[in-house]
């Protein structure tokens, strides 16, 4: 088989890239290790920066998120039981975010790809990529027991943190940066009305909490837990009781509980691989970088990589230009590191850092006092939350 751009991974990065290239008349083939249904079972964050929503519009898949996404003009920081509203719209000159689940983003992209009749090989086993440092990159995989070879002009590694593409780059050609946090997030999804119209990021001596949502009838809540916690030890009742203890009195009173649809623990990690291009292989999204979920930058960063990559490839095919390709890695990394900084900062600001020296806890308190008391600091928080310019 042959295609112009072979995309490994049918998560949001791979699917969005495929859609943008298709609209520019460039052929793609996607190889995905899992089934489509499996990809749609993953529950991840649900806050889209305006730039991400615009890219979905440009890809021709913005209709449902514009109709069903919830426009959020602000969110709350709840500090030890007192809520402070962060007015995103006022602090950023009119910008806001859209609450729309990543699962729905993926579903919209998958449907558009299927409708356009574009090829995706799901359940692709033993995916390997080769010769991406030459003019003739190619991949091998096994689908329904048959071995397949795919030749391409370029390979886009959109296969997430555990994918095969980054792992195929010689170790001495990569520099890895990583920070692992000493806690995780226990998340619960339920068909209950959200406790508040806006998200609440809460700092509390018992640990961080986040009250988020997917719709007016579906809530998503998170609790900071030690890395040693096991999800089996958290009955729904235990989760709700712990959440209520960490909420401010008004929220605790309003909280509506119900059976969980999903419950899981995710570790928190900051990770960047540099560079993001090797010859004719590009890494995009979680294949190249991970942020802790505080601030919901993961999907938005994946989208900005894909914007740069689609532009670079379109320029290449239309104008035979190499410029976008050559600048891809540095353009992405400049935005990636700013989002890494913000996600690390918001995580450090709001999580219980009891395991760290007392000095650290005092700094956190001073930083919170400063942020909440300074309009300049609030603008910094807000402009990062709605997303820095591409
Ligand atoms: N071969 C083919 N596909 C693979 C392979 C492989 N060897 N390894 C992984 N994949 C697939 C995964 O099954 C998954 O569907 O690649 C896809 C990667 O998708 P994501 O992990 O969702 O990564 P990405 O598309 O970059 O999305 C970034 O996801 O994790 C969140 O916070 C992150 O929101 C951000 C977004
Ligand atoms: C979510 O809704 O899952 C979510 C929202 C905001 C975050 C992280 C996760 O910062």
């Amino acid at each position: 088989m042959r295609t112009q751009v072979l995309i490994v991974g049918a998560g949001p990065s791979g699917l969005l890239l495929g859609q943008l290239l298709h609209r520019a008349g460039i052929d793609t083939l996607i190889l995905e290790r899992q089934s489509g249904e499996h990809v749609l079972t993953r529950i991840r964050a649900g806050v889209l920066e305006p730039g991400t929503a615009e890219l979905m519009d440009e890809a021709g898949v913005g209709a449902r998120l514009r109709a069903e996404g919830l426009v959020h003009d602000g969110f709350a920081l709840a500090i030890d039981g007192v809520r402070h509203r962060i007015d995103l719209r006022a602090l950023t000159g009119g910008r806001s975010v859209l609450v729309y689940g990543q699962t729905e983003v993926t579903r919209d992209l998958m449907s558009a790809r299927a409708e356009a009749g574009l090829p995706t090989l799901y359940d692709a086993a033993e995916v390997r990529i080769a010769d991406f440092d030459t003019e003739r990159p190619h991949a091998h995989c096994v689908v329904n027991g048959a071995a397949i070879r795919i030749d391409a002009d370029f390979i886009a590694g959109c296969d997430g943190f555990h994918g095969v593409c980054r792992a195929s780059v010689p170790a001495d050609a990569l520099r890895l940066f990583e920070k692992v946090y000493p806690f995780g997030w226990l998340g619960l999804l339920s068909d209950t009305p959200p406790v508040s119209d806006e998200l609440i990021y809460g700092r509390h001596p018992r640990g961080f909490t986040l009250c988020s949502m997917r719709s007016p009838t579906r809530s998503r809540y998170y609790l900071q837990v030690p890395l040693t916690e096991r999800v089996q030890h958290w009955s729904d009742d235990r989760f709700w009781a712990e959440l209520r203890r960490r909420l401010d009195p008004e929220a605790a009173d309003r909280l509506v509980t119900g059976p969980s649809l999903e419950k899981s623990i995710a570790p928190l990690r900051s990770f960047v691989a540099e560079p993001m291009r090797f010859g004719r292989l590009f890494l995009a999204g979680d294949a190249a970088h991970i942020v802790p979920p505080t601030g919901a930058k993961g999907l938005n960063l994946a989208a900005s990589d894909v914007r740069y990559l689609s532009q670079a490839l379109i320029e290449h095919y239309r104008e035979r230009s190499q410029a976008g390709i050559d600048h891809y890695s540095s353009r992405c990394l400049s935005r990636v590191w700013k989002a890494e900084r913000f996600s690390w900062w918001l995580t450090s600001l709001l999580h219980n850092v009891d395991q760290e020296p007392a000095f650290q806890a005092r700094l956190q308190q001073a930083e919170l006092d400063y942020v909440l008391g300074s309009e300049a600091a609030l603008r910094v928080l807000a402009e990062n939350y709605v997303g820095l310019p591409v």
Side-chain angles (χ1 to χ4, degrees):
M1 296 170 91
R2 187 176 158 83
T3 187
Q4 288 179 300
V5 180
L6 173 69
I7 300 174
V8 185
S13 304
L15 289 165
L16 182 55
L17 178 65
Q19 203 57 28
L20 290 163
L21 295 180
H22 166 63
R23 287 171 74 89
I26 299 168
D27 285 342
T28 60
L29 172 71
I30 301 188
L31 286 184
E32 166 59 52
R33 181 168 60 176
Q34 305 286 357
S35 67
E37 300 81 72
H38 183 277
V39 170
L40 287 175
T41 59
R42 300 193 186 112
I43 313 281
R44 279 158 177 180
V47 178
L48 307 186
E49 295 173 359
T52 302
E54 281 155 23
L55 194 62
M56 289 286 285
D57 293 336
E58 285 170 37
V61 286
R64 197 161 72 96
L65 68 86
R66 294 293 174 191
E68 296 176 19
L70 308 172
V71 176
H72 280 213
D73 292 338
F75 66 89
L77 288 184
I79 307 303
D80 304 339
V82 182
R83 245 191 268 177
H84 309 261
R85 181 163 190 267
I86 309 300
D87 188 338
L88 292 173
R89 187 171 276 279
L91 290 162
T92 61
R95 304 178 77 210
S96 46
V97 294
L98 204 60
V99 170
Y100 189 72
Q102 180 173 316
T103 315
E104 303 312 310
V105 169
T106 310
R107 194 188 306 282
D108 294 345
L109 287 162
M110 271 184 184
S111 315
R113 190 165 177 89
E115 264 166 43
L118 304 175
T120 307
L121 298 179
Y122 284 102
D123 297 306
E126 297 172 44
V127 175
R128 283 186 298 120
I129 59 169
D131 292 346
F132 46 82
D133 53 345
T134 73
E135 300 278 300
R136 310 242 170 283
H138 55 97
H140 299 267
C141 64
V142 176
V143 179
N144 291 330
I148 299 177
R149 173 183 164 129
I150 301 131
D151 291 280
D153 298 336
F154 298 98
I155 298 178
C158 301
D159 50 348
F161 183 64
H162 300 287
V164 68
C165 291
R166 190 184 71 248
S168 304
V169 176
D172 60 3
L174 268 183
R175 185 148 182 222
L176 306 181
F177 302 83
E178 184 165 34
K179 175 176 169 65
V180 177
Y181 300 80
F183 39 75
W185 279 17
L186 168 64
L188 179 147
L189 186 73
S190 62
D191 273 331
T192 53
V195 70
S196 156
D197 292 344
E198 293 185 339
L199 270 59
I200 305 175
Y201 290 82
R203 200 207 92 114
H204 188 277
R206 294 181 67 85
F208 170 80
T209 52
L210 170 59
C211 305
S212 181
M213 66 192 74
R214 293 290 175 270
S215 75
T217 57
R218 182 167 286 189
S219 300
R220 179 72 167 159
Y221 295 104
Y222 297 96
L223 296 174
Q224 174 187 351
V225 292
L227 271 181
T228 47
E229 274 301 343
R230 306 294 293 271
V231 71
Q232 305 89 281
H233 299 153
W234 285 85
S235 64
D236 290 357
D237 286 346
R238 181 178 174 203
F239 184 98
W240 293 119
E242 181 61 28
L243 178 63
R244 194 171 266 123
R245 291 179 78 163
R246 297 187 193 182
L247 293 178
D248 62 80
E250 191 208 327
D253 225 39
R254 286 196 47 167
L255 180 69
V256 179
T257 64
S260 61
L261 304 171
E262 192 261 4
K263 218 167 14 185
S264 54
I265 295 183
L268 269 65
R269 183 195 302 272
S270 298
F271 172 84
V272 181
E274 292 184 359
M276 288 172 60
R277 175 177 80 100
F278 311 85
R280 290 177 167 253
L281 169 66
F282 303 89
L283 301 178
D286 278 17
H289 42 73
I290 298 285
V291 286
T294 332
K297 289 292 163 219
L299 173 62
N300 294 295
L301 264 192
S304 61
D305 292 351
V306 165
R307 181 189 285 278
Y308 292 130
L309 182 51
S310 61
Q311 284 169 352
L313 291 169
I314 292 168
E315 249 173 62
H316 169 83
Y317 283 107
R318 287 208 181 132
E319 299 157 28
R320 293 278 129 205
S321 158
Q322 179 74 13
I325 290 176
D326 286 341
H327 291 133
Y328 171 72
S329 179
S330 58
R331 272 191 188 144
C332 289
L333 286 168
S334 146
R335 197 166 190 280
V336 164
W337 275 110
K338 291 182 190 108
E340 290 284 346
R341 186 207 68 80
F342 176 67
S343 306
W344 159 82
W345 174 77
L346 198 59
T347 301
S348 316
L349 188 69
L350 297 176
H351 286 73
N352 182 317
V353 293
D354 273 356
Q355 301 105 319
E356 293 181 33
F359 183 73
Q360 203 59 36
R362 283 287 192 276
L363 287 183
Q364 186 191 53
Q365 191 54 52
E367 180 126 29
L368 274 167
D369 286 350
Y370 170 63
V371 169
L372 293 171
S374 155
E375 173 150 346
L378 285 171
R379 282 191 199 282
V380 172
L381 166 59
E383 83 165 345
N384 279 276
Y385 194 86
V386 300
L388 297 176
V390 181

